[in-house]
């Protein structure tokens, strides 16, 4: 009886505190709580290096993202390799706030995320882990340390330093879409754990190497000095280094001193272009603020807000207008730089980026375009006319989609990267153009785009995706016999 009583007491002490699957059931700690990144509110046995098997495990405490320090914005330098269009990633100080975005309803992916989170906590204890509330409700019971959620108290665009995705292409799109109202996206470290994985760069088995290279990128003293943005402080042409010096740059990396990559081994970044859309009503007035407010209210815990009064909607894959569930085809007038181009009678129309050229646009008959080609694509979806083919236009082309009165009052669906954002009725316009990517002037930072951390500069992931995933120019018929089975 004594043993049974002891067993019941032990079981009660290790039982997790109840938490429903719904995001609303998460109780987030008050902003008045002590700063958990300075000292974890855990028992002494829950140290960053050792988890005692005799200490009862309890669910991770959940804190608001508003408690986190401000975002660290990385610097991007042009690659020194001749002919390369890639950028080199340089941190002015170690990244602190990591957002985890995972594929839903995939237990194996969840296990990998938990494993990754424990690794980060163990080897990089200064890094704070941020998740969406619906993810926190799943993984918190398996983590003995604090995590953070975006709960609307603070804008995640001001907090997140870097993003790690676990899943397929849809997961990367999900991460990028969180910043569809914002002009700046943190670097994305993507682990391919989905069906296709055209945008996934890393295998999860390499997660330690991938994170170390990204985290240490720019940690060398010389790197920090060269990556600093020079600015004239008005004193005899003296150049100020934006508060970055060799001593300060190494403070956060001291515990990883032996893992510094140096300047020539900085992580490489593929800056994928986005397109942006502005919506106008029949009177010609912008209604972006209404759409953005709707998106923010529907996804107030995840969509990164902006200080712009009427922010454009940004897409990494495509912006589409579709007839939706209506039986009649959509009628859309297309204008290029203010000149009438054609009338579309089809299921819909796609305005795609080069990244999106291998997505919906490819299925609709569009061409394959390299992601570094500064362009946008116009592709019809099942048009009536067989002569309507996809067009490739310069990135700075201004394309206007005007909903024709021939739609007879019905509303069409406006979708951003596959997600419905609004309904557009006859007389309304959607004005689309490429997002500016680059420097506004000498010494300025890079603006726009979605920075994706790639494996190496020698291996072209785009070519590998064409051959390995899309089976580009793959011959018909049976596979030829391999050499090991031939005489």
């Amino acid at each position: 009886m004594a043993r049974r009583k002891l067993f019941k007491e032990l079981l009660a002490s290790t039982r997790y505190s109840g938490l429903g699957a719904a995001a609303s059931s998460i109780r987030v700690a008050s902003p008045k709580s002590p700063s958990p990144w300075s000292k974890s509110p855990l028992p002494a046995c829950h140290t960053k290096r050792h988890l005692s098997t005799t200490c009862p495990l309890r669910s991770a405490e959940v804190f608001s993202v508003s408690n986190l320090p401000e975002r660290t914005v990385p610097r991007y330098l042009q690659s020194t390799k001749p002919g390369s269009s890639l950028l080199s990633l340089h941190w002015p100080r170690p990244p602190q706030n990591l957002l985890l975005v995972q594929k839903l309803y995939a237990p194996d992916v969840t296990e990998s995320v938990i494993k990754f989170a424990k690794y980060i906590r163990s080897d990089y204890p200064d890094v704070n882990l941020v998740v969406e509330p619906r993810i926190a409700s799943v993984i918190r019971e398996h983590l003995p340390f604090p995590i953070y959620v975006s709960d609307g108290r603070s804008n995640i665009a001001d907090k997140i330093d870097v993003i790690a995705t676990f899943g397929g292409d849809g997961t990367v799109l999900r991460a990028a879409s969180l910043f569809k109202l914002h002009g700046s996206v943190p670097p994305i470290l993507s682990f391919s754990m989905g069906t296709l994985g055209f945008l996934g760069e890393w295998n999860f088995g390499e997660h330690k190497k991938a994170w170390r290279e990204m985290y240490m990128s720019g940690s060398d003293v010389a790197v920090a000095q060269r990556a600093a943005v020079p600015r004239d402080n008005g004193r005899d042409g003296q150049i100020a280094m934006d508060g970055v010096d060799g001593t300060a740059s190494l403070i956060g990396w001291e515990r990883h001193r032996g893992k510094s990559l140096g300047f020539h081994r900085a992580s490489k970044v593929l800056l994928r272009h986005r397109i942006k859309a502005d919506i106008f009503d029949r009177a010609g007035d912008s209604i972006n603020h209404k759409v953005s407010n709707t998106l923010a209210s529907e996804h107030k815990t995840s969509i990164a807000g902006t200080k712009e009064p009427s922010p454009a909607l940004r897409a990494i894959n495509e912006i589409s207008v579709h007839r939706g569930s209506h039986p009649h085809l959509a009628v859309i007038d297309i204008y290029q730089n203010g000149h009438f181009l054609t009338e579309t009678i089809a299921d819909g129309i796609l305005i795609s980026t080069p990244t999106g050229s291998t997505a919906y646009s490819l299925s609709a008959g569009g061409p394959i375009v390299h992601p570094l080609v500064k362009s946008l694509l116009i592709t019809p979806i099942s048009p009536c006319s067989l002569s309507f083919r996809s067009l490739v236009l310069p990135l700075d082309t201004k394309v206007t989609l005007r909903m024709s009165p021939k739609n007879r009052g019905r509303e069409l669906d406006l979708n951003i990267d596959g997600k419905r954002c609004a309904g557009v009725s006859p007389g309304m316009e959607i004005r689309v153009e490429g997002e500016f990517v680059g420097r506004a002037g000498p010494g300025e930072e890079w603006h726009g785009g979605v920075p994706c951390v790639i494996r190496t500069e020698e291996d072209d992931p785009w070519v590998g995706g064409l051959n390995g995933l899309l089976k580009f120019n793959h011959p018909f018929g049976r596979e030829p016999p391999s050499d090991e089975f031939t005489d």
Side-chain angles (χ1 to χ4, degrees):
M1 293 297 292
R3 290 184 178 181
R4 181 175 300 178
K5 182 179 180 181
L6 178 62
F7 176 76
K8 289 183 178 180
E9 292 178 352
L10 179 62
L11 182 63
S13 65
T14 58
R15 185 169 299 160
Y16 301 132
S17 58
L19 182 71
S24 59
S25 63
I26 298 179
R27 186 173 64 87
V28 180
S30 170
K32 296 181 180 180
S33 302
S35 178
W37 61 83
S38 59
K39 185 176 181 181
S40 176
L42 296 174
C45 59
H46 286 170
T47 63
K48 63 184 180 182
R49 292 289 181 182
H50 305 286
L51 293 179
S52 173
T53 56
T54 60
C55 179
L57 178 66
R58 70 178 185 183
S59 300
E61 294 192 59
V62 180
F63 294 91
S64 169
V65 73
S66 62
N67 290 336
L68 295 177
E70 293 301 305
R71 173 186 177 185
T72 298
V73 180
R75 298 181 173 94
Y76 303 102
L77 302 181
Q78 191 69 49
S79 176
T80 57
K81 184 177 180 180
S84 175
S85 299
L86 300 177
L87 303 176
S88 296
L89 172 66
H90 296 284
W91 294 102
R93 59 180 179 270
Q96 292 180 278
N97 305 328
L98 167 63
L99 174 63
L100 304 179
V101 181
Q102 72 168 84
K103 180 180 180 181
L104 298 177
Y105 311 114
D108 55 333
V109 175
T110 301
E111 291 179 5
S112 298
V113 171
I114 294 173
K115 180 179 179 180
F116 183 79
K118 291 181 178 179
Y119 163 70
I120 295 297
R121 178 67 176 184
S122 173
D123 285 31
Y124 301 85
D126 295 329
V127 176
N128 307 302
L129 300 176
V130 184
V131 296
E132 297 178 76
R134 58 181 176 178
I135 303 301
S137 64
V138 176
I139 70 173
R140 73 183 294 266
E141 296 181 350
H142 305 278
L143 301 178
F145 48 81
I147 57 177
Y148 300 82
V149 295
S150 49
D151 58 354
R153 298 180 187 176
S154 181
N155 189 352
I156 63 171
D158 299 328
K159 299 294 185 178
I160 302 302
D161 300 335
V162 64
I163 304 172
T165 65
F166 304 81
D169 292 351
T171 309
V172 179
L173 294 179
R174 166 65 181 167
S177 69
L178 299 180
F179 297 83
K180 68 174 59 176
L181 301 178
H182 205 274
S184 177
V185 181
I188 297 179
L189 185 68
S190 57
F191 295 99
S192 181
M193 306 179 70
T195 305
L196 186 58
F198 201 88
L199 300 179
E201 294 288 345
W202 299 83
N203 296 322
F204 183 73
E206 304 172 299
H207 66 275
K208 295 182 180 180
K209 174 179 182 292
W211 173 260
R212 183 183 72 251
E213 291 184 358
M214 188 283 306
Y215 181 85
M216 301 300 296
S217 189
S219 60
D220 186 73
V221 175
V223 174
Q225 292 176 340
R226 295 181 64 176
V229 179
R231 67 175 188 271
D232 188 354
N233 60 10
R235 293 179 296 181
D236 301 327
Q238 184 179 358
I239 300 299
M241 300 306 291
D242 198 25
V244 179
D245 55 54
T247 303
S249 65
L250 285 177
I251 292 178
W253 285 298
E254 285 183 351
R255 63 167 49 89
H256 307 287
R257 187 182 297 273
K259 299 180 180 180
S260 177
L261 299 178
F263 178 76
H264 296 289
R265 295 187 60 192
S267 293
K268 301 304 178 184
V269 169
L270 174 62
L271 197 59
R272 296 182 180 272
H273 298 88
R274 292 189 296 181
I275 53 178
K276 59 181 183 179
D278 296 287
I279 310 171
F280 296 84
D281 60 17
R282 299 177 185 178
D285 299 324
S286 174
I287 59 172
N288 282 7
H289 60 284
K290 296 181 180 179
V291 178
S292 61
N293 290 341
T294 301
L295 291 173
S297 62
E298 292 178 353
H299 309 278
K300 62 182 179 180
T301 60
S302 57
I303 295 293
T306 177
K307 297 179 181 179
E308 299 178 38
S310 187
L313 303 176
R314 295 169 173 86
I316 186 177
N317 257 7
E318 76 275 318
I319 294 171
S320 66
V321 179
H322 197 274
R323 65 185 176 94
S325 60
H326 295 286
H328 303 288
L329 296 179
V331 184
I332 305 169
D333 296 329
I334 304 177
Y335 294 81
Q336 176 195 1
N337 292 330
H339 302 285
F340 178 73
L341 179 63
T342 187
E343 178 189 66
T344 303
I345 303 177
D347 280 351
I349 196 76
L350 294 164
I351 310 294
S352 307
T353 65
T355 297
S357 68
T358 52
Y360 196 173
S361 178
L362 180 63
S363 299
I368 298 176
V369 182
H370 194 280
L372 291 177
V373 177
K374 296 182 178 181
S375 60
L376 56 82
L377 292 71
I378 301 178
T379 305
I381 306 173
S382 303
C384 278
S385 174
L386 297 179
S387 63
F388 190 178
R389 299 302 181 189
S390 183
L391 300 174
V392 181
L393 303 174
L395 185 64
D396 59 356
T397 302
K398 293 179 173 56
V399 177
T400 300
L401 305 179
R402 181 176 297 169
M403 307 305 110
S404 173
K406 297 179 182 179
N407 288 296
R408 293 177 288 183
R410 60 194 175 96
E411 195 176 73
L412 305 178
D413 291 340
L414 170 63
N415 303 280
I416 306 293
D417 285 337
K419 297 289 186 179
R420 187 183 188 276
C421 288
V424 286
S425 54
M428 297 181 62
E429 290 185 357
I430 304 171
R431 301 175 188 175
V432 183
E433 62 179 318
E435 180 186 35
F436 172 77
V437 175
R439 290 188 176 96
E444 294 289 335
E445 294 290 342
W446 283 82
H447 297 279
V450 178
C452 299
V453 181
I454 68 171
R455 294 170 58 87
T456 62
E457 195 166 13
E458 287 70 24
D459 299 330
D460 192 331
W462 186 74
V463 173
L466 286 184
N467 295 331
L469 299 174
L470 297 183
K471 307 299 181 184
F472 179 72
N473 198 27
H474 196 70
F476 293 103
R478 299 175 59 185
E479 292 285 347
S482 59
D483 295 338
E484 59 180 321
F485 295 110
T486 57
D487 296 332

